[in-house]
Amino acid sequence: MRKFLIFISCYFLSISFSSAGNRTDKNILIPAAAHTRIKFGAERILKALNKVGYQTRIIQQVKAGGSRPGIVVGIFSDAIIAGKLPAAVKNTIATAKKEAYTIFTDKNGTIYIAGHDASGTLYGCIELADRIHDTRKLPTALSLTDQPEMVLRGTCIGLQKPDYLPGHDVYEYPYTPETFPWLYDKALWIKYLDMMVENRYNSLYLWNGHPFSSLLRLKAYPYALEVDNATLKKNEEIFSFLTHEADKRGIWVIQMFYNIIIPKPFADKHGLKTQDRNRPIIPLIADYTKKSITAFVEKYPNVGLMVALGEAMEGVGQDDIDWFTKTIIPGVKDGLKAAGIKEEPPIVLRAHDTDAPSVMKAALPLYKNLYTENKFNGEALTTYTPRGAWAELNRKLAAIGTVNISNVHILANLEPFRYGSADFIQKSVQAMNKIYGAKGLHLYPQASYWDWPYAADDVKGRLLEVDRDWIWYKEWGRYSWNSQRDRTQEINYWGEALADKYGASLMGGKAILNAYEESGEISPKLLRRYGITDGNRQTLTLGMLMTQLINPYRYGVFTLMYESEAPEGEMIIDYAEKEFKKLGHIGETPVQIAKEVVVHGQKALAAIQNAAPTVTKDTAEFNRLKNDMYCYDAMANFYAEKVKAALWILRYKYSNDVADLVQALPFLEKSVAHYANLVKYTEKTYLYANSMQTKQRKIPMRGVDKTFIHWREMLPVFTRELNHFKYSIDSLKSVKQGETAKIIKYKAAAVQILNHKATYVIAKEAVVFSDTTVKIKALADELQGLKGIQLSKASQIKDGTEIKFSTAQSVKLLVGFFNQKSPQYLAAPQLETDASANNYGQSEIKISNALVAAGFPPVNVHAYAFPAGTHTLNLGKGACLVLGFIDDKQELRIFNAGLDGHGKDIDWLFE
């Protein structure tokens, strides 16, 4: 029977190819002066027809006439097409939006592709080519009109690295063949651009801290160039090639840069830092930046710019507005004038860490082709039901009247495992439209942004991320074009696509989709209910320490994630307190999520196992996908068991009953066992979990010098945590009544303060500011007796805080931040908005609720580390307490002093 079926299949296949070989010519007619995008689109149709047996050629004519062509391609107003379309069809496409197209078959069988513009015509050509590919013949009787929902649909590539270059800081990566060999690979660029156009993307964002010093030499500042002459020539050539090939495919290249970063040669010559967040605008830097932008626009007129005002300069203030309106926009205008160009290239204002509505209000009278961009779920993917302050900001940006672009950024909670939930992604794009009012998509790679173009998989020769994560790009592209597609039809669509990729049955393809969608709920739910941050300082797939679950505020928990990027619900610490006090719960709870992610993992495994017997091709990739499902399942169980343990441990905080800790122990043991399975699944399949391997990485461990980047490195940490917990339980059972831990006070270090004379001894009733009578009411004993610097509160708020000092030994400077958000208080270091927030090791709270001053909120203490030498520390604007210097070698035990009235922490159970 099997041999008979093979014979029948071959027979009909031979008939199909025989018929294809006899197909009549189908010439493609395009305008004589056709736009490069129309020519490119016609070539895609030609290739599709030739592949299925048609003899086809492209003919260019000024107007219609001559022999009857098979396909006519052009803009609706072109002479070769204008008189051929029915009035109703022509009116529809003429009044449509940009990039719209219509495909119409007349009574003679001629197919007309008419675009509203050249890009619309291109997309019409791709649509026809796709149909030819799917059906293996030229369709008949077509009548359809289509246009995109999103105005800008873009992907991004970071010219960044997993670690810092020698002598450089974050984001500082000159374009060189040694640093970015793939940048000069034209075949890779063609491959990527083809992926983009096939998925209807129309913008490509290139991310870099300061690209100008790699792409041009300034007459006024020739020494600012960061590459040699040969490399400059290569950069100019590849950038011209890239923009030309992108334009063919209807793609805007948009160069992103941070403010204010300056090139190292320029900084060294003028005795400046390459970046200093708290530095005021300096005329020299402003002039250099303006001239750089002018030269860039003049040299690359078809390239847009994306401006990040915040992060590398102090965000939210008049400086942002001035920099944008007095430096950047004038620089662009001068470049257009020098090049004799009237059409304004797009400028995208990144809303990150700046007051974008105020900046746009000042900028729009000066420049019209402006866009805003804001993160969808921070630097993660957590929910398709965003709410709260973040949703309100996005709606405010959309209401400005320009296009607001939603940025799916970094995906720190997804990497490195594969992600392809069509359902989650479709609902996310719907949320961008309906909740945010966004009309643009800016999409990051699903994983390995910092290590692009390679995926993290441990495969000989490395996998290209664009190949591995093909479904990621395809899903976001499909739904940014049209997010209102019927769900039932989409299940069939993706089922067929996956069946085709893996040579599976349709049932098998749908099972693979089901595995993607069940696993696709796990990471978003885990982060939004248990995580510390939506930023890339946390690598979710590596797990979390117990102290991070039971005392998140110690680690600078980013509360906006819970308030805006998650459904209404409760954190672990809130749930535990309510349980003990027998209060009712609200919304999504930690216990609920623990149950749900385990079920998602089980269903994902069952689905992928059901699909496996039907897979007949690309089996190596399918097996990697299958292994990812085992990884998701192990991770879900690790978190679920650890959260169960955390809730018993937090109960002990209120009950002081050691029996509660005993109840937690088996859950914690199971958690470690599940993590051991995760190590087994990743040991030989992944090179790393997180692609950013610098000091910015904080959760679960500080990832300095590429440490704690793999699960095998974390298993000993979780094992020690378990063992310490067992020891703590035994100690509590045997501890004598009334015993207390010995307090070790910090010892003041001998430091010469160069720009302040007023000091005071840290103690109760000490006056903390030079211009107020505010006194210390309570403080942690460890701080008692340190030598603080007494500063003017008013001056701190107006001008910021600058400390100049000289030291003969390595020291730590203790700075107290009021733990309440207010314009009058200096904001604590926060890596979500400031990439330099851990340059001195200052991002982590050392003592929570360590001091209380009369009339002020409690103070959290952070530590800034300095080697021997003379230093200047610039802090931003806002009141803070400079509590003095201690020896760098003195141990800083991290704890909560409990002076906020909520009691001390129980982290000591694990440390």
Side-chain angles (χ1 to χ4, degrees):
M1 181 67 183
R2 185 171 178 271
K3 291 181 179 179
F4 175 75
L5 290 174
I6 294 172
F7 169 77
I8 291 296
S9 298
C10 293
Y11 174 76
F12 282 111
L13 193 61
S14 67
I15 292 175
S16 174
F17 276 101
S18 175
S19 300
N22 294 325
R23 285 172 169 171
T24 58
D25 292 350
K26 292 292 182 181
N27 293 328
I28 304 169
L29 180 62
I30 65 174
H35 192 285
T36 184
R37 294 174 195 170
I38 296 175
K39 290 179 182 178
F40 183 84
E43 289 167 2
R44 296 302 284 255
I45 298 173
L46 182 144
K47 290 177 183 177
L49 287 171
N50 287 347
K51 194 171 183 179
V52 296
Y54 289 91
Q55 297 299 311
T56 310
R57 63 192 179 105
I58 297 172
I59 301 170
Q60 291 187 253
Q61 291 182 191
V62 175
K63 58 184 179 180
S67 61
R68 182 166 64 85
I71 305 167
V72 181
V73 176
I75 298 172
F76 75 93
S77 57
D78 287 337
I80 65 167
I81 207 168
K84 303 295 182 178
L85 295 177
V89 173
K90 184 177 181 181
N91 182 62
T92 297
I93 192 63
T95 57
K97 297 178 182 177
K98 290 181 178 180
E99 301 183 317
Y101 65 86
T102 190
I103 304 177
F104 170 76
T105 306
D106 70 8
K107 61 183 179 180
N108 297 316
T110 300
I111 297 175
Y112 292 89
I113 301 176
H116 177 83
D117 49 26
S119 289
T121 307
L122 168 62
Y123 293 134
C125 291
I126 294 171
E127 177 66 27
L128 181 59
D130 285 349
R131 291 181 180 229
I132 294 167
H133 174 270
D134 293 342
T135 62
R136 297 192 62 77
K137 64 180 181 180
L138 186 65
T140 58
L142 285 171
S143 180
L144 66 98
T145 298
D146 204 1
Q147 63 186 29
E149 279 181 5
M150 294 288 200
V151 174
L152 281 180
R153 306 169 304 282
T155 65
C156 90
I157 291 175
L159 280 100
Q160 321 267 27
K161 301 293 288 182
D163 49 2
Y164 295 170
L165 294 180
H168 288 79
D169 210 331
V170 62
Y171 307 130
E172 296 175 15
Y173 300 101
Y175 298 175
T176 69
E178 295 75 25
T179 304
F180 301 110
W182 57 263
L183 175 63
Y184 308 91
D185 186 343
K186 292 183 179 180
L188 178 60
W189 279 119
I190 294 298
K191 178 186 180 75
Y192 189 84
L193 293 172
D194 281 347
M195 177 281 293
M196 291 186 68
V197 73
E198 286 162 9
N199 290 309
R200 280 60 163 183
Y201 290 110
N202 65 1
S203 44
L204 169 61
Y205 299 81
L206 302 178
W207 280 62
N208 186 268
H210 189 80
F212 308 119
S213 55
S214 294
L215 293 169
L216 45 88
R217 186 195 304 274
L218 296 181
K219 292 180 181 178
Y221 303 100
Y223 52 86
L225 186 67
E226 288 196 272
V227 298
D228 59 35
N229 291 332
T231 300
L232 176 60
K233 188 175 180 180
K234 286 182 180 179
N235 291 347
E236 291 170 335
E237 196 273 331
I238 196 65
F239 210 75
S240 295
F241 167 83
L242 171 59
T243 54
H244 174 74
E245 290 295 330
D247 185 52
K248 269 200 233 178
R249 295 163 176 78
I251 298 167
W252 267 104
V253 175
I254 299 175
Q255 179 65 66
M256 178 271 182
F257 62 101
Y258 284 93
N259 292 281
I260 303 174
I261 295 179
I262 53 178
K264 188 168 178 16
F266 180 93
D268 290 347
K269 182 176 178 64
H270 294 286
L272 300 166
K273 293 182 180 179
T274 53
Q275 48 185 301
D276 184 347
R277 179 177 170 85
N278 299 306
R279 176 171 54 201
I281 293 175
I282 297 173
L284 173 67
I285 296 178
D287 185 66
Y288 163 74
T289 304
K290 181 182 174 183
K291 283 184 168 65
S292 294
I293 293 170
T294 296
F296 182 81
V297 171
E298 182 180 2
K299 192 167 189 175
Y300 305 105
N302 59 332
V303 179
L305 291 171
M306 179 171 168
V307 181
L309 289 177
E311 192 156 356
M313 68 183 290
E314 186 179 3
V316 190
Q318 187 62 39
D319 279 359
D320 286 19
I321 295 172
D322 289 346
W323 191 253
F324 196 62
T325 59
K326 296 180 180 180
T327 298
I328 292 169
I329 289 178
V332 173
K333 284 187 164 185
D334 287 352
L336 293 174
K337 184 178 179 181
I341 297 170
K342 293 184 179 179
E343 182 183 1
E344 293 178 340
I347 301 179
V348 182
L349 172 65
R350 189 180 181 214
H352 176 70
D353 194 33
T354 191
D355 182 359
S358 296
V359 176
M360 289 290 284
K361 182 179 180 181
L364 276 169
L366 307 175
Y367 197 91
K368 298 304 178 188
N369 197 17
L370 294 177
Y371 300 77
T372 54
E373 181 259 21
N374 204 29
K375 293 173 182 174
F376 177 58
N377 287 162
E379 295 175 347
L381 189 64
T382 58
T383 186
Y384 44 77
T385 58
R387 61 193 177 94
W390 199 246
E392 187 56 39
L393 172 60
N394 277 280
R395 285 191 289 267
K396 192 173 182 180
L397 293 171
I400 290 172
T402 58
V403 169
N404 185 38
I405 303 164
S406 266
N407 176 207
V408 181
H409 194 89
I410 290 291
L411 292 314
N413 67 324
L414 302 188
E415 67 173 353
F417 307 138
R418 288 158 177 77
Y419 190 94
S421 174
D423 182 49
F424 203 107
I425 289 172
Q426 182 175 14
K427 289 174 179 175
S428 294
V429 180
Q430 289 171 349
M432 291 174 184
N433 280 299
K434 295 177 181 178
I435 299 176
Y436 284 175
K439 289 300 175 187
L441 168 72
H442 177 189
L443 182 69
Y444 265 55
Q446 188 252 297
S448 299
Y449 165 78
W450 299 95
D451 197 22
W452 204 89
Y454 302 111
D457 301 72
D458 190 356
V459 176
K460 187 177 180 180
R462 302 294 298 272
L463 290 180
L464 290 175
E465 188 275 337
V466 67
D467 288 335
R468 192 199 87 147
D469 298 325
W470 65 276
I471 198 168
W472 172 262
Y473 293 106
K474 195 171 183 67
E475 287 173 344
W476 285 102
R478 182 172 176 81
Y479 297 123
S480 62
W481 183 277
N482 178 8
S483 67
Q484 303 305 312
R485 301 176 192 269
D486 177 74
R487 170 66 178 159
T488 302
Q489 293 177 7
E490 288 305 286
I491 292 173
N492 287 328
Y493 174 85
W494 292 111
E496 290 172 358
L498 288 161
D500 180 63
K501 175 171 176 60
Y502 293 111
S505 64
L506 178 58
M507 186 177 295
K510 288 184 177 181
I512 297 171
L513 175 65
N514 190 27
Y516 267 127
E517 295 193 332
E518 291 293 346
S519 64
E521 294 287 338
I522 294 172
S523 288
K525 286 184 175 180
L526 289 175
L527 187 69
R528 76 191 188 203
R529 197 48 53 207
Y530 307 147
I532 297 295
T533 173
D534 66 8
N536 66 4
R537 65 183 170 104
Q538 174 165 7
T539 306
L540 179 82
T541 58
L542 283 177
M544 292 174 66
L545 303 177
M546 182 59 80
T547 54
Q548 290 160 354
L549 294 175
I550 66 174
N551 188 12
Y553 285 97
R554 160 183 163 181
Y555 296 91
V557 64
F558 191 62
T559 55
L560 183 69
M561 177 176 67
Y562 288 95
E563 296 161 357
S564 287
E565 296 158 8
E568 185 178 22
E570 296 174 0
M571 296 173 66
I572 294 173
I573 54 176
D574 298 326
Y575 182 91
E577 183 178 6
K578 287 184 176 183
E579 276 290 286
F580 185 79
K581 295 178 179 178
K582 295 182 170 53
L583 302 174
H585 298 290
I586 298 173
E588 190 177 78
T589 68
V591 172
Q592 171 194 339
I593 291 304
K595 293 177 181 177
E596 288 181 2
V597 294
V598 169
V599 173
H600 287 310
Q602 292 169 346
K603 289 182 176 179
L605 277 183
I608 206 71
Q609 289 165 353
N610 288 339
T614 73
V615 171
T616 61
K617 67 178 184 180
D618 209 353
T619 54
E621 173 57 21
F622 177 79
N623 286 332
R624 288 189 286 266
L625 172 63
K626 182 179 177 181
N627 187 68
D628 278 358
M629 297 304 139
Y630 282 89
C631 292
Y632 274 118
D633 179 65
M635 180 176 70
N637 279 281
F638 160 78
Y639 273 105
E641 297 298 330
K642 195 156 192 172
V643 166
K644 292 175 190 175
L647 291 172
W648 280 107
I649 291 161
L650 284 167
R651 181 177 177 82
Y652 166 77
K653 182 176 181 178
Y654 302 101
S655 70
N656 286 314
D657 187 347
V658 179
D660 290 334
L661 299 181
V662 175
Q663 290 276 18
L665 185 56
F667 295 117
L668 192 56
E669 289 173 329
K670 289 178 186 177
S671 175
V672 174
H674 284 297
Y675 199 86
N677 285 332
L678 183 55
V679 173
K680 180 178 69 174
Y681 298 135
T682 57
E683 180 70 33
K684 296 181 180 179
T685 59
Y686 279 103
L687 298 170
Y688 55 77
N690 51 296
S691 61
M692 187 181 185
Q693 298 158 13
T694 68
K695 58 190 175 185
Q696 272 71 25
R697 289 288 186 179
K698 298 290 290 182
I699 314 294
M701 300 290 284
R702 189 177 180 214
V704 180
D705 298 329
K706 297 190 175 184
T707 55
F708 298 106
I709 63 174
H710 200 280
W711 300 265
R712 74 174 78 91
E713 295 174 88
M714 285 303 304
L715 182 57
V717 175
F718 293 132
T719 302
R720 284 195 301 272
E721 187 179 61
L722 172 61
N723 291 336
H724 196 290
F725 182 55
K726 290 178 180 178
Y727 173 80
S728 295
I729 293 175
D730 290 342
S731 298
L732 284 168
K733 288 179 178 178
S734 61
V735 71
K736 295 179 181 178
Q737 193 72 25
E739 281 189 1
T740 58
K742 183 180 179 181
I743 294 171
I744 301 175
K745 292 184 179 182
Y746 301 146
K747 295 180 180 179
V751 171
Q752 183 181 2
I753 301 167
L754 303 176
N755 63 334
H756 296 286
K757 293 182 179 179
T759 61
Y760 67 105
V761 175
I762 307 298
K764 282 186 179 181
E765 300 301 313
V767 176
V768 296
F769 298 115
S770 62
D771 57 345
T772 75
T773 58
V774 174
K775 296 180 179 179
I776 295 175
K777 287 174 55 182
L779 74 159
D781 290 334
E782 286 81 353
L783 300 175
Q784 188 85 31
L786 288 180
K787 185 178 179 181
I789 301 176
Q790 196 176 56
L791 303 169
S792 161
K793 178 190 170 192
S795 177
Q796 284 186 311
I797 294 171
K798 181 183 176 183
D799 302 317
T801 300
E802 182 179 79
I803 307 295
K804 294 182 179 180
F805 64 96
S806 181
T807 174
Q809 65 185 96
S810 296
V811 295
K812 289 188 179 79
L813 173 62
L814 303 185
V815 179
F817 294 85
F818 297 103
N819 64 9
Q820 179 178 307
K821 292 181 179 178
S822 169
Q824 69 172 316
Y825 301 138
L826 176 64
Q830 189 173 74
L831 282 164
E832 281 79 9
T833 55
D834 178 10
S836 65
N838 200 44
N839 283 1
Y840 305 96
Q842 77 270 31
S843 67
E844 188 174 62
I845 299 172
K846 299 302 182 183
I847 311 178
S848 305
N849 304 298
L851 181 150
V852 177
F856 285 75
V859 167
N860 295 331
V861 175
H862 294 243
Y864 292 69
F866 297 91
T870 300
H871 305 278
T872 298
L873 175 65
N874 283 309
L875 300 174
K877 297 175 183 177
C880 67
L881 302 182
V882 181
L883 298 170
F885 294 86
I886 64 172
D887 191 314
D888 186 54
K889 295 178 182 178
Q890 184 164 3
E891 182 181 357
L892 283 177
R893 186 179 71 84
I894 299 172
F895 69 100
N896 181 0
L899 298 181
D900 59 344
H902 294 296
K904 296 187 177 183
D905 63 54
I906 51 175
D907 294 11
W908 51 268
L909 288 166
F910 300 93
E911 298 175 334

